Amino acid sequence: MATTTTSPSAVVQVSHRVRPGKRSPELRRMRLRRALPGYLMLLPFAALFVGFLVWPLANSLYFAFTNYNGVKPPSFVGIDNFRRLWFEDERFGKALVNSFVYVAAAVTLTTGLALALAVAFRGTSWRDRIMRTLFFLPAVTSTIAVALIWRWIFTVEDFGLANTVIGWVGVEPVQWLATPSLTIPILVVMAVWGGCGYGMVIFVAGLNAIPEEHYESARLDGASAWQQFWYITLPQLKPVTTYVVITSLISAFQVFEAVYIVFRGVSSVGGVQDSGLMLVPYLYDMGFTKFQLGYASAIAWSLFVVIFVVSMIQLRVTRALREL
């Protein structure tokens, strides 16, 4: 009976070819050929992504450290724009304070009202469906059209809806858009009216995902409706609430159309005495009215840092409450 012998060099060559963690050139080329069509289909999106997002962001970050007016070449000034913005610019400080007051009021009221509407109209009846549709309509309506309607409501002329209604009960007309103390409340009302419907739809989805067995067990134990809401509904809705709060917060910090359209005709872009000046309208004013594009870029990146920090704080607080 013949025996087959294998030379040590052949064993070494075979073990080298099948060694784990190493791929042969043929295998790499085969996988590349398989993935190539996918990469080719991604190229148009990648080109648009780089051209319309990555490149503008990189340019904006560069301009934030320059003195640039859009006509002359930018000149590098280091952190002077940020130093001036955070320590010397009183209008930026006012815009920052107004933004935080507006965000706190708008996000709190929008989230609370959205949750209340979701609890009230979470059913599948025609009444609930119609009411959900009515409350959701502002979320899909043109922001410009909505701002123009609110401007008509609070205008000081005789055809203003708010002054017409209060005139029916003998109240003197109010200078709604020219009264600094009413600017933030008007903007908050607009934000709550336009945003509670979107939050309501998200909360309805979260409510419908809670197992009904939890409520049945609570009712058998004698829990009241308020106890069921406090100990079952709210804890189960923590992830949904976090999402609604953070998206509402980001949207509120970026408010622009309401301020620009409703209050620009009254005085400056921020209303009378800058009572409605927010971060994005101030960015627009410095960049496209005064053509201080480098300074406006510094405002934009400061806004990004503010939103990022506040969002991280919100996430940490939510995570801490979830662990209690």
Side-chain angles (χ1 to χ4, degrees):
M1 180 175 176
T3 58
T4 303
T5 59
T6 305
S7 64
S9 60
V11 173
V12 171
Q13 291 176 1
V14 172
S15 63
H16 178 74
R17 287 199 299 268
V18 298
R19 184 181 300 171
K22 296 203 68 175
R23 299 174 181 175
S24 64
E26 294 80 5
L27 181 59
R28 286 197 296 268
R29 284 194 293 268
M30 183 177 64
R31 292 190 175 183
L32 180 60
R33 284 196 298 269
R34 290 180 179 178
L36 187 59
Y39 290 136
L40 291 177
M41 286 187 285
L42 283 175
L43 277 179
F45 168 78
L48 293 174
F49 180 80
V50 172
F52 290 95
L53 184 64
V54 176
W55 177 248
L57 282 176
N59 267 336
S60 174
L61 183 60
Y62 168 69
F63 290 148
F65 297 95
T66 65
N67 182 15
Y68 181 50
N69 59 6
V71 179
K72 297 180 180 180
S75 58
F76 188 77
V77 295
I79 63 171
D80 285 352
N81 287 334
F82 292 96
R83 180 184 53 79
R84 171 189 163 194
L85 187 67
W86 285 95
F87 300 105
E88 300 177 7
D89 194 340
E90 295 183 358
R91 288 194 74 199
F92 176 76
K94 190 174 185 61
L96 192 63
V97 172
N98 287 343
S99 295
F100 273 102
V101 173
Y102 168 77
V103 167
V107 172
T108 302
L109 294 177
T110 299
T111 305
L113 183 57
L115 180 58
L117 292 173
V119 173
F121 305 116
R122 60 175 295 186
T124 58
S125 64
W126 280 106
R127 179 186 70 91
D128 291 339
R129 294 178 181 178
I130 292 174
M131 294 304 296
R132 288 200 299 266
T133 301
L134 292 177
F135 280 106
F136 185 70
L137 279 177
V140 295
T141 305
S142 170
T143 308
I144 306 299
V146 169
L148 289 174
I149 292 174
W150 281 104
R151 180 179 174 84
W152 163 69
I153 291 174
F154 290 111
T155 189
V156 297
E157 281 80 7
D158 295 337
F159 55 84
L161 181 61
N163 281 334
T164 300
V165 172
I166 65 175
W168 293 342
V169 294
V171 179
E172 292 295 325
V174 178
Q175 302 289 325
W176 300 99
L177 303 181
T179 305
S181 60
L182 295 178
T183 301
I184 298 296
I186 289 175
L187 291 172
V188 170
V189 169
M190 295 172 59
V192 173
W193 179 85
C196 66
Y198 174 78
M200 175 198 65
V201 172
I202 303 299
F203 276 122
V204 167
L207 288 171
N208 292 333
I210 300 176
E212 187 62 28
E213 291 80 4
H214 296 345
Y215 296 102
E216 293 177 358
S217 300
R219 285 191 291 267
L220 290 175
D221 292 337
S224 63
W226 172 252
Q227 290 174 329
Q228 295 176 39
F229 176 77
W230 186 259
Y231 293 105
I232 298 177
T233 304
L234 283 183
Q236 294 287 331
L237 286 179
K238 282 182 180 179
V240 178
T241 305
T242 301
Y243 174 80
V244 172
V245 169
I246 290 181
T247 53
S248 301
L249 183 146
I250 294 173
S251 176
F253 266 117
Q254 296 177 343
V255 61
F256 173 72
E257 294 90 347
V259 178
Y260 182 79
I261 295 175
V262 176
F263 291 97
R264 181 173 175 80
V266 177
S267 181
S268 65
V269 70
V272 176
Q273 300 176 2
D274 284 336
S275 56
L277 186 65
M278 306 288 180
L279 291 175
V280 175
Y282 184 49
L283 185 156
Y284 172 85
D285 189 37
M286 298 302 295
F288 299 99
T289 302
K290 300 180 180 179
F291 292 101
Q292 298 182 21
L293 298 180
Y295 196 67
S297 297
I299 298 174
W301 282 96
S302 298
L303 174 61
F304 166 77
V305 172
V306 169
I307 294 176
F308 179 80
V309 171
V310 174
S311 299
M312 290 299 102
I313 293 174
Q314 170 65 29
L315 288 175
R316 292 295 298 270
V317 170
T318 303
R319 188 178 297 114
L321 292 176
R322 191 180 304 172
E323 295 174 354
L324 292 178

